[in-house]
Amino acid sequence: MKALDNFMQKMKPKADGKFPIAHTIWDGTYTFLFVPGHTNKNGVHIRDSVDLKRTMIVVVKALIPCLLFGMYNVGHQHFLAIGECLPTDHVCSMFWDKFIFGALKVLPLVIVSYAAGLGVEFIFAAVNKHSIHEGFLVSGMLIPLCLPVDVPLWMVAVATIFAVVIGKEVFGGTGMNVLNVALVTRAFLFFAYPTKMSGDQVWINTSLEEGQQLVDSYSGATPLGKAVEGGVEAIPSLMESTIGLIPGSVGETSAIAIGLGALLLIVTGVGSLRIMLSMFVGGFAMAAIFNAVGDAGSFMAVPPLHQLMLGGFAFGAVFMATDPVSAAQTAKGKIIYGFLIGFVAILIRVANPAYPEGVMLAILLGNVCAPLIDHTVVSGNIKKRLKRVKTA
Amino acid sequence: MSKDVKIRKGVNIKLTGLAEKIYADSVSTSDVVLKPTDFPGLKPKLSVKEGAKVKAGSPVYYNKENDKVLFTSPISGEVTEIKRGEKRKVLEIKIKADGANQFETFKQADPNSLSREEVIDNMLKSGVWPFVRQRPFDIVANPEETPKAIHITAFDSAPLAPDYGFITHGQDELLQAGIDALAKLTEGTVHLNITGNANADAAFTGAKNVQINKVSGPHPAGNVGIQLHNIDPLNKGEVVWVLRALDVLTIGKLFKEGKFDASRAIVVAGAKVNTPKYYKTVLGANIGDLLKGATEEGGRFISGNPLSGTQIAADGHLGFYDYQVSVITEGGKNRMFGWLPFIGFNGFSLSKTSMSFLSPNKERDLDTNLNGEERAFVMSGEYEKLFPMDILPVHLLKSMIVEDIDLMEKLGVYEVAPEDFALCEFGCTSKIETQRIVREALDLVRKETT
């Protein structure tokens, strides 16, 4: 440890040298290996051991169940599609085949997302002469998990670069962005390359080797896509959609895996329970309204709880809406913000069949509204203070 | 009409090296140092030169903006050194003790029999006036104003803090004389805010001429700003004066004995102190004399508590307002993968990203490491848990950072002091220097509005 420290110190490049990027990369690596022993100079003399790196790593850890489950599910869906296993087979049949197949499809997405995003971050850090800020650690993991498995890698790279530059760095970097970076990536792909981001062809990897063919009953549609066509009858049962062995974006399908991540976020206090709960309440409310007025059997009639388990709702509620930078920041604001997103997400999903996945748009709308919501809450606090003067 | 206030937000940080309630043998100090930097926003003007002989209570410097506010020598001796900084700003005035213990004489009288002007005059001349601080701005009170109330805190909830009850025990008369003097200064109420967490000393519970409020809950419940906000909040245009009960003892001594007796009891505590205990010493005393052989190597000396105190050298001097010297472990070591969550050796955290939340009552030896690097605000809801005022701390801080005075006023800048933000600064994930931001903002608002 001491030797490594000395080794790193020895090769430290100059901050104002010929290649500022060299120092940025060194600094990024060094602060990853060691928390530097800087001491407090002004103000408090002791400090909490938590820092942004630790907070971000907790979120990444919370995403691991989704990542692992997503890998398995990618393989599972593939082998179902080519008929090598049946929906009635035990989950463990061909377990490693499925997992390894999925991992080989998902890992490139993860690597490209991190490489593109961190590349941009390093360049901006070098140009702006500040250290690497940790925000992208989480975004880099969220991006592959909210995409369909078959999206081309170059598109992921282009979208990630767009999102980090336009979504974050132009506003001043980590902590300053208005919109959630991962969702900007997804929205960019969604509107720029709709054929690769929606429809029936992208959610399941159907690359065939010689001698393989798709099963006759194969349909690549996600449950939401099917629901638009066929209503309640067409979607998997509540149990299936909770477990998540259904087509969808890589990490969003399993409510159980998301639940494990949510538990970690809530216990550590890193994710806001207020936002998660109020978003579920908002979604439930809207779904209940539709359920009450919709014709039996139609998409509108999908039971509220079932709505919340489908598509990216749970994933968005736990990992996307709770992004502390783009969410509302006041306690009351968080409740309004979460409710608004949940409500609008189901509204878009059901009312507009062109966007069966309303969660992404709802959260982006929520991000944009968050400052306004906070402003209202802050004004309330100001008014209370003014009232105190008048009554005194 | 006393009030019971329960503070729910905040946290007690338990550090190793809590002092035992005994006094060490007294050591007389070889010199004292007066630091005008103890008083934010003060423009000091010297009234002595190097070589001047002073008695305890002789003026040493005064406030350039109000030459009636005198800062006097706590001991008798000779001015040996005047240390200046940039633009010849006076940083330190060293007075070497002559051991004669001579005092200037001031009016010795029952404050109840004096007029308001006489009380103020006596306090100004003797040099006890600067103990009276004001909100807004957290500066020495302006004797030409009349506050709407005076708040005295009778306990300190900061880490390793002295027990005011232990120090004040048996000095009921001095405390009462001080309170009587303060009661002359306001037409409103004098509040004595005692702790509700334990039994307060009889000297406090028996005090007269004062409204006794009980404040319970975790740190920062002992901060007078938090107390007054929850008892009777300060509005724009109003002024409240605040003191600590131990300051009141010195004021009491002035009226009882007719002299500026700057002797005080302090606590010396922290992980690097061999046997933490209380010491009897004097304002501005040389800590090196006091703690000879009493501390271990590798400590950081702080005049005050580890959250809002000032770092001093091992032979540094006690600050004007400080009744505590903390000696805690100095950091500086790089920690490999120190950012990993849930690893035992990776330190104490108020967030639940470290296993330390499982043992909240364990005393800890925290070092002075920053534990990370400064970042922009990312986490939300963190400060709110540690800030027991009806103020939105992060929004107020952001308005301070952008120097928007109008918005600061609306969000409550007049009610806060840097020390109220100390706990937020401790727990901040982004390592933001909140106390510095608040201090600079208060100075700015004061400059622009007065």
Side-chain angles (χ1 to χ4, degrees):
Chain A
M1 179 184 150
K2 189 78 204 153
L4 179 64
D5 196 356
N6 290 339
F7 172 72
M8 286 296 290
Q9 292 292 0
K10 209 180 279 174
M11 57 189 262
K12 179 177 181 177
K14 280 198 191 99
D16 50 356
K18 223 182 220 170
F19 303 103
I21 190 107
H23 180 263
T24 311
I25 293 171
W26 179 88
D27 186 65
T29 317
Y30 184 78
T31 54
F32 173 79
L33 291 171
F34 297 94
V35 171
H38 303 157
T39 54
N40 296 300
K41 298 292 177 223
N42 307 307
V44 292
H45 298 274
I46 50 178
R47 288 270 196 176
D48 196 293
S49 68
V50 72
D51 66 349
L52 205 53
K53 270 198 187 65
R54 182 180 290 184
T55 308
M56 292 293 173
I57 290 297
V58 169
V59 186
V60 174
K61 283 189 172 180
L63 282 164
I64 285 177
C66 290
L67 178 72
L68 295 180
F69 186 90
M71 287 175 175
Y72 174 80
N73 191 37
V74 164
H76 181 71
Q77 296 299 331
H78 171 79
F79 287 112
L80 273 185
I82 61 170
E84 287 196 10
C85 72
L86 296 169
T88 47
D89 282 349
H90 193 270
V91 189
C92 289
S93 72
M94 300 175 67
F95 181 87
W96 288 110
D97 289 317
K98 290 176 189 171
F99 186 80
I100 290 169
F101 180 88
L104 289 177
K105 292 288 167 199
V106 175
L107 280 179
L109 290 176
V110 177
I111 292 167
V112 168
S113 147
Y114 271 117
L118 287 179
V120 176
E121 292 260 0
F122 273 79
I123 293 169
F124 271 86
V127 171
N128 294 335
K129 300 202 187 339
H130 63 63
S131 50
I132 310 272
H133 293 186
E134 291 82 0
F136 196 77
L137 285 180
V138 171
S139 309
M141 186 56 92
L142 283 174
I143 290 169
L145 293 185
C146 70
L147 295 180
V149 63
D150 265 359
V151 63
L153 294 177
W154 67 267
M155 284 187 194
V156 178
V158 170
T160 304
I161 292 169
F162 172 85
V164 175
V165 175
I166 304 295
K168 183 157 91 170
E169 292 300 341
V170 292
F171 292 103
T174 300
M176 312 289 182
N177 46 311
V178 178
L179 299 172
N180 181 306
V181 178
L183 280 179
V184 174
T185 313
R186 196 179 194 284
F188 178 84
L189 284 170
F190 188 83
F191 290 109
Y193 311 106
T195 54
K196 293 289 178 192
M197 284 295 290
S198 50
D200 295 350
Q201 303 307 318
V202 297
W203 307 100
I204 300 173
N205 181 279
T206 51
S207 54
L208 299 173
E209 287 167 29
E210 255 188 48
Q212 292 178 334
Q213 60 172 4
L214 294 178
V215 292
D216 293 340
S217 61
Y218 169 76
S219 147
T222 62
L224 284 173
K226 288 179 188 164
V228 174
E229 305 283 313
V232 182
E233 297 305 312
I235 59 175
S237 69
L238 179 62
M239 189 59 159
E240 285 172 295
S241 23
T242 308
I243 294 173
L245 290 170
I246 49 175
S249 295
V250 172
E252 69 171 23
T253 57
S254 168
I256 293 176
I258 296 167
L260 286 175
L263 198 68
L264 180 64
L265 292 186
I266 292 166
V267 167
T268 54
V270 170
S272 165
L273 179 60
R274 271 197 187 87
I275 295 177
M276 292 184 207
L277 275 186
S278 59
M279 182 163 159
F280 276 109
V281 170
F284 192 90
M286 189 71 236
I289 294 171
F290 276 127
N291 185 261
V293 300
D295 297 331
S298 71
F299 188 17
M300 285 166 95
V302 176
L305 192 62
H306 204 157
Q307 277 282 15
L308 304 187
M309 292 302 144
L310 286 175
F313 193 92
F315 189 78
V318 171
F319 295 111
M320 301 284 203
T322 52
D323 168 12
V325 176
S326 56
Q329 315 209 328
T330 50
K332 278 182 209 153
K334 283 176 185 168
I335 293 172
I336 303 170
Y337 165 87
F339 190 87
L340 175 83
I341 293 177
F343 199 82
V344 174
I346 300 295
L347 180 69
I348 298 176
R349 174 190 282 186
V350 177
N352 188 345
Y355 299 118
E357 195 39 284
V359 177
M360 170 186 83
L361 298 170
I363 295 176
L364 288 174
L365 179 73
N367 288 168
V368 176
C369 293
L372 183 68
I373 296 169
D374 278 338
H375 179 78
T376 318
V377 176
V378 172
S379 307
N381 182 281
I382 291 172
K383 282 206 191 91
K384 205 156 74 182
R385 188 163 293 103
L386 287 174
K387 216 164 135 196
R388 211 167 68 194
V389 183
K390 279 174 197 145
T391 52
Chain B
M1 202 198 77
S2 72
K3 274 195 180 175
D4 259 4
V5 174
K6 186 142 184 57
I7 303 287
R8 292 207 159 74
K9 296 170 173 180
V11 66
N12 288 322
I13 299 171
K14 304 217 158 95
L15 297 182
T16 47
L18 202 63
E20 218 185 317
K21 282 179 192 160
I22 43 167
Y23 281 108
D25 297 335
S26 59
V27 185
S28 58
T29 186
S30 59
D31 54 56
V32 299
V33 160
L34 298 181
K35 293 178 266 194
T37 48
D38 285 343
F39 311 96
L42 175 80
K43 296 203 176 98
K45 188 97 180 141
L46 290 171
S47 34
V48 292
K49 290 201 174 103
E50 276 183 32
K53 299 262 193 246
V54 289
K55 295 181 194 170
S58 307
V60 177
Y61 63 98
Y62 59 91
N63 183 353
K64 207 173 175 181
E65 286 165 354
N66 184 344
D67 58 11
K68 284 187 195 140
V69 179
L70 303 181
F71 298 81
T72 57
S73 171
I75 56 167
S76 66
E78 184 189 339
V79 179
T80 52
E81 191 190 345
I82 292 167
K83 203 182 194 177
R84 290 174 187 271
E86 271 174 50
K87 295 185 189 165
R88 292 183 47 79
K89 185 181 163 195
V90 181
L91 297 179
E92 289 184 352
I93 300 140
K94 192 179 231 173
I95 299 166
K96 205 165 160 41
D98 59 9
N101 280 334
Q102 289 174 311
F103 289 92
E104 299 275 1
T105 49
F106 302 102
K107 192 174 283 174
Q108 177 185 2
D110 179 2
N112 289 319
S113 64
L114 300 175
S115 69
R116 179 171 192 266
E117 284 66 39
E118 286 171 317
V119 169
I120 292 181
D121 189 55
N122 206 27
M123 288 173 72
L124 284 169
K125 279 190 179 140
S126 59
V128 301
W129 183 263
F131 285 115
V132 185
R133 281 192 278 187
Q134 69 163 57
R135 297 287 168 99
F137 308 131
D138 192 35
I139 52 173
V140 174
N142 179 355
E144 271 134 43
E145 287 178 328
T146 312
K148 84 159 182 174
I150 295 177
H151 284 261
I152 304 163
T153 174
F155 69 106
D156 190 340
S157 53
L160 306 174
D163 181 340
Y164 285 12
F166 173 69
I167 293 176
T168 314
H169 184 75
Q171 307 196 54
D172 311 34
E173 284 185 15
L174 292 180
L175 185 75
Q176 191 59 53
I179 290 172
D180 289 341
L182 293 171
K184 286 276 171 186
L185 304 183
T186 175
E187 282 154 15
T189 321
V190 179
H191 298 264
L192 181 67
N193 306 324
I194 61 173
T195 175
N197 299 331
N199 283 334
D201 191 80
F204 298 131
T205 50
K208 306 272 182 325
N209 203 6
V210 68
Q211 173 178 329
I212 298 178
N213 307 300
K214 218 176 220 186
V215 183
S216 52
H219 185 62
N223 283 8
V224 69
I226 304 292
Q227 297 167 353
L228 80 88
H229 177 88
N230 286 284
I231 291 166
D232 177 21
L234 179 70
N235 298 309
K236 189 188 171 186
E238 295 173 341
V239 177
V240 169
W241 288 355
V242 299
L243 298 96
R244 280 170 304 172
L246 302 181
D247 303 330
V248 179
L249 293 178
T250 311
I251 297 173
K253 274 186 259 182
L254 168 70
F255 287 93
K256 279 276 171 197
E257 298 160 10
K259 60 187 186 186
F260 177 43
D261 179 355
S263 63
R264 59 171 62 175
I266 65 164
V267 70
V268 177
K272 290 290 178 186
V273 184
N274 296 333
T275 47
K277 50 192 164 189
Y278 289 76
Y279 286 74
K280 284 189 170 148
T281 180
V282 68
L283 188 172
N286 188 328
I287 298 306
D289 294 341
L290 202 64
L291 301 182
K292 209 169 277 171
T295 56
E296 292 169 30
E297 286 283 297
R300 173 184 288 204
F301 289 73
I302 301 160
S303 175
N305 68 60
L307 290 179
S308 49
T310 319
Q311 184 177 359
I312 54 175
D315 59 351
H317 297 79
L318 192 67
F320 189 88
Y321 294 110
D322 297 328
Y323 295 88
Q324 174 175 9
V325 172
S326 316
V327 190
I328 59 172
T329 312
E330 184 68 271
K333 282 206 184 83
N334 302 331
R335 280 209 327 275
M336 196 169 194
F337 297 120
W339 46 269
L340 276 176
F342 313 121
I343 305 284
F345 54 82
N346 279 345
F348 171 76
S349 176
L350 300 180
S351 74
K352 296 196 175 69
T353 59
S354 155
M355 285 304 174
S356 66
F357 78 92
L358 296 174
S359 51
N361 288 319
K362 194 178 155 198
E363 291 185 349
R364 286 163 210 282
D365 173 11
L366 300 187
D367 63 23
T368 62
N369 267 353
L370 188 55
N371 294 329
E373 293 171 290
E374 188 166 339
R375 293 288 183 261
F377 278 114
V378 168
M379 297 306 287
S380 61
E382 232 177 14
Y383 286 22
E384 285 78 356
K385 283 186 217 154
L386 303 171
F387 195 75
M389 289 194 189
D390 186 15
I391 282 177
L392 298 163
V394 177
H395 292 86
L396 177 57
L397 274 172
K398 286 184 178 173
S399 69
M400 289 172 165
I401 293 170
V402 298
E403 304 190 343
D404 182 342
I405 293 175
D406 204 36
L407 190 59
M408 283 189 239
E409 272 188 357
K410 288 180 182 165
L411 290 172
V413 70
Y414 295 122
E415 301 179 53
V416 300
E419 61 170 11
D420 301 333
F421 278 87
L423 208 51
C424 297
E425 186 171 341
F426 172 84
C428 182
T429 301
S430 296
K431 312 290 174 193
I432 288 166
E433 292 182 348
T434 56
Q435 293 188 91
R436 179 183 57 76
I437 294 169
V438 175
R439 185 68 261 167
E440 285 172 5
L442 290 175
D443 292 343
L444 176 79
V445 177
R446 182 167 162 244
K447 200 177 116 200
E448 297 293 329
T449 56
T450 52

